[in-house]
C-alpha cells in the first residue's frame, strides 16, 4: 500500500467523482477537501479545502449529474448539501435524529441515510429531502455506512453494533443478512468488478465479502492499518482512510488477495 495523502485534521469519510478523477474527503473539524487523483501524489498543494466549517462530518456522497455534494454533520445532527466547488451550502435536515451514513440511488432519485439515534435507515426524494419527506425503510442497530449495488438493486448497510452487513432490496424493500460475525463494520465499497464488497472494521481490519460465496465468511485483506474508516474504489484502486493516523492509502486491487 502507498500513502496517498497526509492530513492535518482527522480524515473520516471519502467520496469519489463519477469520472474517478477527484477524491473528496471530510475532516472531523467540519471541512471537506478535494484532491485531483491525476496530479502528482507528492504535492500536497493539490489538496484543496472547498468547505471549511465547524462540525463533525461523518459521511459524504457525490451526485455528479446534479453537481452536488451531500454530507452528514454529527455535531448539528444534520444533512447538508453544496455544489461541487463548495458553494451554495444549504441545510436540508437539522436536529433530526443522528444522521450518519449516506448513499444516493440516482436511478430512482432517492437518498438514503443511517440514523444512530433511532437505529433506522431513512429514504427521501433527493430534490425535496426534509424531515417531512423522510420515510423509514429499515431498523438496524447502530447502522454506519451504506453502499449502492446498482447491478443487484441492493443497498448494503453496516450494522456496527451487531456485526452484521445487511442487504436492503430496492425492488421489494426487504431486509436480509448478507454477512454475520463481522467486527464493528464501518464503511463499505463495491469492487471494480462488482464481485466483492469491501468492509472496514473498527477492529482495524479491511475485509471483503465475495458475493458468489458468502458461506465461507469474510476474508481479511488488510490488517496493517491502525483504524480503517472510509473506503472508496476508483479506477481499480482502493482508497482507504485511517482516522487515527490521518492518512489516506491507495492500494491497487490487483495487489489484494
Amino acid at each position: 500500500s502507498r500513502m496517498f495523502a497526509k492530513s492535518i485534521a482527522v480524515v473520516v469519510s471519502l467520496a469519489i467523482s463519477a469520472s474517478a478523477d477527484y477524491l473528496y474527503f471530510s475532516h472531523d473539524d467540519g471541512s471537506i477537501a478535494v484532491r485531483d487523483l491525476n496530479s502528482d501524489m507528492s504535492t500536497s498543494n493539490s489538496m484543496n479545502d472547498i468547505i471549511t466549517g465547524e462540525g463533525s462530518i461523518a459521511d459524504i456522497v457525490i451526485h455528479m449529474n446534479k453537481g452536488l455534494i451531500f454530507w452528514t454533520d454529527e455535531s448539528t445532527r444534520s444533512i447538508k448539501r453544496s455544489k461541487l466547488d463548495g458553494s451554495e451550502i444549504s441545510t436540508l435536515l437539522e436536529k433530526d435524529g443522528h444522521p450518519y451514513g449516506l448513499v444516493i440511488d440516482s436511478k430512482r432519485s432517492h437518498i438514503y441515510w443511517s440514523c444512530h439515534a433511532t437505529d433506522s435507515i431513512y429514504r427521501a426524494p433527493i430534490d425535496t429531502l426534509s424531515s417531512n419527506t423522510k420515510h423509514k425503510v429499515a431498523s438496524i442497530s447502530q447502522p454506519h455506512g451504506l453502499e449502492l449495488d446498482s447491478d443487484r438493486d441492493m443497498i448494503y448497510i453496516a450494522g456496527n453494533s451487531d456485526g452484521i452487513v445487511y442487504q436492503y432490496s430496492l425492488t421489494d424493500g426487504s431486509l436480509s443478512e448478507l454477512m454475520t460475525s463481522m467486527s464493528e463494520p464501518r464503511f463499505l465499497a463495491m469492487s471494480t468488478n462488482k464481485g466483492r464488497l469491501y468492509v472496514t472494521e473498527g477492529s482495524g481490519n479491511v475485509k471483503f465479502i465475495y458475493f458468489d460465496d458468502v458461506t465461507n465468511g469474510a476474508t481479511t485483506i488488510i490488517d496493517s492499518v491502525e483504524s480503517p474508516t472510509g473506503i472508496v474504489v476508483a479506477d481499480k484502486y482502493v482508497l482507504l482512510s485511517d482516522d487515527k493516523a490521518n492518512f489516506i492509502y491507495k492500494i491497487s486491487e490487483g495487489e489484494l488477495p
Side-chain angles (χ1 to χ4, degrees):
S1 67
R2 151 175 210 197
M3 195 184 89
F4 174 57
K6 169 78 172 135
S7 173
I8 299 165
V10 176
V11 178
V12 184
S13 58
L14 306 174
I16 204 84
S17 66
S19 60
D21 292 332
Y22 293 96
L23 175 73
Y24 293 80
F25 54 96
S26 71
H27 300 309
D28 70 340
D29 62 357
S31 299
I32 294 176
V34 63
R35 178 134 191 188
D36 184 343
L37 291 178
N38 298 317
S39 69
D40 177 9
M41 292 186 190
S42 63
T43 57
S44 59
N45 61 2
S46 59
M47 191 162 39
N48 299 310
D49 276 342
I50 52 169
I51 290 168
T52 54
E54 297 174 0
S56 179
I57 295 170
D59 199 9
I60 47 180
V61 290
I62 311 295
H63 195 306
M64 288 306 291
N65 291 349
K66 294 181 182 292
L68 297 171
I69 308 170
F70 293 82
W71 68 93
T72 51
D73 186 327
E74 292 192 86
S75 63
T76 55
R77 310 200 322 272
S78 61
I79 298 176
K80 298 184 179 182
R81 179 187 70 196
S82 78
K83 290 195 168 178
L84 290 177
D85 62 1
S87 64
E88 297 183 29
I89 298 174
S90 57
T91 300
L92 308 173
L93 195 79
E94 191 168 26
K95 293 181 179 163
D96 189 327
H98 184 157
Y100 196 82
L102 285 171
V103 75
I104 289 170
D105 175 12
S106 54
K107 188 162 74 174
R108 297 167 184 83
S109 296
H110 285 149
I111 188 165
Y112 290 79
W113 66 95
S114 58
C115 178
H116 284 181
T118 60
D119 290 332
S120 302
I121 307 296
Y122 293 100
R123 179 185 72 213
I126 198 158
D127 294 325
T128 58
L129 166 61
S130 73
S131 294
N132 297 326
T133 60
K134 72 174 187 179
H135 171 68
K136 181 176 173 177
V137 297
S139 295
I140 291 172
S141 179
Q142 293 299 288
H144 270 47
L146 311 172
E147 176 71 340
L148 176 74
D149 182 345
S150 52
D151 289 2
R152 297 176 182 86
D153 271 339
M154 290 283 185
I155 288 176
Y156 304 114
I157 305 156
N160 187 259
S161 60
D162 61 14
I164 299 172
V165 174
Y166 294 87
Q167 50 187 4
Y168 170 79
S169 169
L170 293 168
T171 52
D172 64 13
S174 62
L175 184 73
S176 56
E177 296 177 357
L178 175 67
M179 183 63 64
T180 59
S181 304
M182 305 288 291
S183 179
E184 300 170 37
R186 290 174 156 188
F187 286 96
L188 315 165
M190 294 286 294
S191 64
T192 300
N193 66 11
K194 310 296 185 192
R196 298 173 166 191
L197 181 70
Y198 299 115
V199 185
T200 58
E201 292 186 324
S203 61
N205 292 326
V206 180
K207 295 181 178 176
F208 76 76
I209 296 167
Y210 186 49
F211 291 115
D212 287 346
D213 185 14
V214 294
T215 53
N216 277 332
T219 303
T220 300
I221 48 174
I222 299 169
D223 59 8
S224 55
V225 175
E226 191 175 359
S227 181
T229 310
I231 186 164
V232 291
V233 174
D235 200 21
K236 297 184 180 176
Y237 282 93
V238 175
L239 293 154
L240 176 68
S241 69
D242 182 333
D243 66 1
K244 286 216 172 80
N246 304 336
F247 289 144
I248 297 172
Y249 297 95
K250 183 177 183 180
I251 307 124
S252 167
E253 284 187 287
E255 294 173 14
L256 297 172

